[in-house]
């Protein structure tokens, strides 16, 4: 009865929630039925139920494959570089924007840094290809200082740098929004008390702003740890990499794409994708458990 009264009282709110629930059920939960092909020698002609059960064959085959070490190394390195360089960038930008007192200049900087987020990934990749070509803008600028032209996107040692740097450029402004919102929620009387005690702006940022946004930082860090084996944006890597950069650019998600869709080895690619998601889930649980033990901030 209590549940029925609650539903009747807030029926319009639950009606608004229905499209979101339907989206998750249709596009995220119902496809889990197909996860069983990770344990089968799947054939589209036979269907999921009639395909031969092979157990852990695909997982063992992936572990013993030639590409296993390279895929794990590249995925972890790209995720680690994003964690070290891309994750703090929006935080630093939000702190710097918070210190600006000229409202017009602050609005201009925010608009400029937000805009790249709305550029299509295909367009961003095209810009990178043009700018970083042997006769592109970057090489023309560096040649003015006597540097030799470098074909960045066909040099394996440059791929991770290009990927992480372009990701920071595209996402730093948009990512700073959540931290600016957290800063706006800090009690202004704390700053007034700090100024009365003689604290400068740097000390206010260090002892008030940073602790004030720390719960948000921890939550975002935990969520980021839950996608460490995703290896960044698969679409972006697919658009930027080529056969000459597989050595440093090929990650688990791109390998799954090539093996599953291009080579039509659905069972093998499903097994790799399932393993990837399970490990990500375990890392998310571990990060939350560690945060819960060492601090007061946690995701749940």
């Amino acid at each position: 009865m209590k549940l029925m009264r609650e539903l009747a009282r807030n029926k319009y709110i639950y009606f608004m929630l229905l499209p979101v629930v339907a989206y998750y059920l249709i596009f995220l939960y119902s496809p889990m039925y197909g996860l069983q092909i990770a344990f089968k020698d799947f054939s589209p002609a036979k269907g999921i139920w009639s395909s031969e059960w092979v157990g852990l064959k695909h997982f063992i085959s992936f572990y013993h494959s030639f590409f296993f070490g390279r895929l794990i190394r590249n995925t972890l390195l790209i995720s680690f570089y994003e964690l070290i360089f891309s994750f703090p960038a929006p935080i630093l930008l939000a702190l710097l924007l918070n210190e600006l007192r000229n409202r017009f200049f602050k609005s201009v900087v925010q608009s400029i840094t937000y805009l790249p987020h709305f550029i299509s990934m295909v367009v961003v990749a095209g810009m990178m290809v043009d700018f970083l070509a042997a006769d592109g803008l970057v090489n023309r600028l560096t040649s003015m200082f006597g540097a030799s032209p470098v074909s960045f996107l066909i040099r394996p040692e440059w791929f991770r740098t290009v990927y992480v740097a372009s990701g920071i450029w595209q996402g730093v402004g948009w990512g700073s929004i959540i931290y600016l919102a957290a800063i706006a929620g800090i009690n202004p009387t704390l700053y007034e008390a700090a100024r009365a005690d003689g604290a400068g702006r740097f000390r206010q940022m260090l002892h008030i702003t940073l602790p004030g946004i720390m719960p948000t930082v921890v939550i975002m860090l935990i969520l980021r740890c839950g996608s460490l084996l995703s290896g960044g944006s698969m679409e972006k890597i697919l658009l930027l990499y080529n056969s000459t950069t597989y050595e440093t650019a090929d990650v688990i998600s791109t390998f799954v794409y090539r093996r599953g869709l291009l080579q039509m080895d659905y069972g093998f690619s499903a097994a790799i994708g399932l393993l990837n998601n399970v490990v990500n889930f375990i890392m998310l649980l571990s990060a939350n458990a560690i945060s819960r033990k060492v601090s007061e901030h946690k995701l749940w």
Side-chain angles (χ1 to χ4, degrees):
M1 291 297 294
K2 184 178 181 181
L3 176 62
M4 296 303 296
R5 288 197 300 270
E6 174 67 19
L7 291 174
R9 184 183 304 113
N10 301 299
K11 56 181 179 295
Y12 296 113
I13 297 177
Y14 288 113
F15 281 140
M16 294 172 62
L17 186 64
L18 278 179
V20 179
V21 174
Y23 169 83
Y24 277 93
L25 290 176
I26 295 172
F27 295 105
L28 296 180
Y29 284 95
S30 61
M32 288 184 180
Y33 165 78
L35 285 178
Q36 57 186 299
I37 69 175
F39 306 95
K40 293 188 174 187
D41 188 9
F42 176 71
S43 170
K46 296 179 180 179
I48 295 178
W49 278 106
S50 301
S51 296
E52 180 185 356
W53 181 270
V54 294
L56 299 177
K57 173 187 174 182
H58 298 312
F59 298 93
I60 297 172
S61 177
F62 174 59
Y63 178 75
H64 292 290
S65 70
F66 170 78
F67 303 102
F68 179 78
R70 186 181 74 180
L71 292 173
I72 297 297
R73 181 182 67 251
N74 291 342
T75 302
L76 290 177
L77 281 176
I78 288 178
S79 297
F80 177 74
Y81 291 151
E82 284 196 314
L83 192 64
I84 295 299
F85 298 105
S86 298
F87 181 76
I91 302 173
L92 294 175
L93 179 62
L95 292 174
L96 293 174
L97 288 174
N98 184 60
E99 295 301 317
L100 293 177
R101 293 296 176 261
N102 188 314
R103 292 181 177 273
F104 175 76
F105 181 68
K106 182 177 180 179
S107 300
V108 170
V109 172
Q110 285 180 299
S111 299
I112 292 174
T113 54
Y114 292 169
L115 283 177
H117 172 78
F118 299 99
I119 302 177
S120 168
M121 187 64 72
V122 177
V123 176
V124 171
M127 292 169 62
M128 294 297 106
V129 171
D130 290 338
F131 290 166
L132 300 173
D135 57 348
L137 176 63
V138 174
N139 277 308
R140 290 187 180 184
L141 292 175
T142 56
S143 65
M144 296 172 59
F145 300 94
S148 301
V150 177
S151 297
F152 293 96
L153 292 180
I154 63 173
R155 299 281 292 274
E157 65 271 20
W158 277 102
F159 182 85
R160 294 170 186 150
T161 302
V162 170
Y163 178 88
V164 174
S166 60
I168 293 174
W169 170 76
Q170 187 178 17
V172 65
W174 186 258
S176 67
I177 292 177
I178 189 170
Y179 300 109
L180 287 171
I183 292 173
I186 298 175
N187 192 341
T189 58
L190 296 175
Y191 293 102
E192 296 174 2
R195 284 194 295 269
D197 290 338
R201 292 174 65 175
F202 179 76
R203 287 191 173 275
Q204 292 176 39
M205 180 182 69
L206 192 63
H207 297 290
I208 298 177
T209 308
L210 274 177
I213 65 172
M214 193 53 63
T216 304
V217 173
V218 171
I219 295 300
M220 299 302 293
L221 181 60
I222 293 173
L223 292 175
R224 179 65 68 91
C225 289
S227 60
L228 281 180
L229 275 188
S230 298
S233 171
M234 182 191 74
E235 296 83 2
K236 186 176 178 182
I237 295 176
L238 286 173
L239 292 167
L240 290 178
Y241 82 158
N242 52 69
S243 57
T244 62
T245 57
Y246 279 175
E247 179 186 346
T248 57
D250 197 20
V251 295
I252 294 175
S253 56
T254 56
F255 181 74
V256 169
Y257 166 79
R258 292 201 311 275
R259 191 69 179 261
L261 294 182
L262 301 185
Q263 300 181 24
M264 294 184 292
D265 193 349
Y266 303 111
F268 186 83
S269 61
I272 303 173
L274 176 60
L275 178 64
N276 187 27
N277 290 329
V278 169
V279 174
N280 277 334
F281 182 64
I282 293 173
M283 295 183 73
L284 175 64
L285 294 177
S286 302
N288 186 71
I290 293 172
S291 176
R292 187 168 51 197
K293 286 184 178 297
V294 303
S295 68
E296 299 177 354
H297 314 305
K298 55 186 182 295
L299 190 58
W300 65 85

